[in-house]
Amino acid sequence: MGTVIESHDAIVIGAGPAGLATSRELSRAGVHHVVLERGGAIGHTWMHLYDGLVLHTGKHLSALPGMAFPSWTPLFPTRLDFLDYLQRYADTFRVPVETNANVELVKADGDAWTVSVTGATTRRARAVIVASGIVSNPHIPDIPGRDRFRGRIVHSVEYRRPDPFTNQRVLVVGAGNSAGEICAELAGAGAQVTVAIRSGARVVPRQLLGIPIQYFGVALSALPQSLLRGAMFLTGALSELVRGASPLPPPADTICANVPLIGFHLVDGVRSGRIQLRRGLTEFTSAGVRFVDGSEDEYDHVILATGYRAAIGMLGNLVRFDDCGFAARRKRVVSVDRPNLYFVGHNYDARGGLRNIARDARIAASLIARR
């Protein structure tokens, strides 16, 4: 560990939307801080997501504190729209970002913290805000036989565009929004696509009466959880009444927030036969996979759209996890294990991750300023 030569009131880890929003709120509260970004630019993670990515949350409820999207941005911003927005946000609020600053280790130091950065000096701060999100920590399930498979296996975070998969047999594993979008994009480019869904998916329209479905979710969020589930069930039932029953299996019950599959691109692909639907797989074979029903199919590529886990490896065993894989928190953002340790960008639900980031950045900055 290098000599500590820089001290701050707070250190923010990550310069994606969570880190930038937190920085802006800290600045407003007069908290001296620095933002450490592992990549070479602001929004490093978003720069490397797939080309065709489009936000499934509307721009009015996806903006960070203090700055709306420009009027010319489409209702559902593209990845490039969002990257441009992040850069303008950082410039507008003069976010104190240091790029190529990969945080290796965060250690408690009395009532403060030391933060070790690869190849750089160690920092010291009274508060640390982990805003590193989840995408830098993809979840890869342990599926037997992986070493036998002669094709290519990648996580969806490595997927960029459909061109290399044209006329190839591709299995996409997962039922989330990334899985649905990648399946539809691949099928449209001429790939032979199969989607394997083990636990099911709740499908809702991206828009209802021309209004993003997220906006209804926000409006209903004050309801008790049981009533909110009922409202979502009613939305799905009305959708099925108009479009017919979904061919996808229903979702499993879970205590964790379950973001629905937004839009009908996957459903329509399955109904038309452009995308084949299978249940979960049990193991890889040399040429493909074996499914839970005992059948086997051959594939050239397997894309694991199996989600992510909180990117908090730099904390070691300092904190406990909650039942959904995030650091255990109170007041949405405060570690239950360590004083002066905060998490922004770790609340995901139907109201939208970006909207939650805006809310949590304000909460964290306010609590830090008081201390």
Side-chain angles (χ1 to χ4, degrees), residues 10-97:
I11 292 174
V12 181
I13 302 174
L20 298 182
T22 302
S23 175
R24 189 263 184 178
E25 294 300 298
L26 289 172
S27 293
R28 290 185 72 219
V31 178
H32 177 251
H33 68 282
V34 65
V35 180
L36 303 178
E37 166 56 49
R38 67 187 176 97
I42 286 166
H44 171 80
T45 294
W46 285 83
M47 290 178 66
H48 294 87
L49 295 176
Y50 56 96
D51 292 351
L53 185 148
V54 175
L55 297 187
H56 52 256
T57 55
K59 67 177 181 179
H60 307 99
L61 296 183
S62 299
L64 304 181
M67 193 171 88
F69 280 88
S71 59
W72 60 82
T73 303
L75 179 58
F76 296 99
T78 67
R79 181 181 67 93
L80 293 180
D81 290 327
F82 193 61
L83 279 170
D84 177 70
Y85 172 80
L86 292 181
Q87 186 61 60
R88 289 189 303 103
Y89 190 91
D91 293 342
T92 299
F93 297 114
R94 299 181 180 180
V95 175
V97 177

Side-chain angles (χ1 to χ4, degrees), residues 9 27 52 134 143 156 178 180 190 196 202 208 240 242 252 269 294 303 347 365:
D9 290 335
S27 293
I134 60 175
I143 302 172
S156 58
S178 292
R202 184 174 76 252
L208 194 62
E240 288 191 5
V242 175
I303 300 176
N347 286 309

Side-chain angles (χ1 to χ4, degrees), residues 226-284:
S226 58
L227 293 179
L228 182 58
R229 286 198 188 98
M232 296 301 293
F233 175 81
L234 180 60
T235 301
L238 290 173
S239 175
E240 288 191 5
L241 188 64
V242 175
R243 298 176 54 88
S246 170
L248 308 182
D253 290 333
T254 174
I255 63 172
C256 303
N258 191 3
V259 178
L261 182 58
I262 299 175
F264 296 108
H265 36 278
L266 179 59
V267 167
D268 290 344
V270 171
R271 280 182 175 150
S272 69
R274 293 187 302 120
I275 299 172
Q276 302 303 309
L277 174 64
R278 304 297 299 269
R279 296 305 296 263
L281 57 146
T282 58
E283 64 177 329
F284 284 98

Side-chain angles (χ1 to χ4, degrees), residues 141-152:
D142 184 16
I143 302 172
R146 178 169 179 158
D147 292 342
R148 294 199 302 266
F149 181 55
R150 296 193 299 264
R152 181 171 177 241

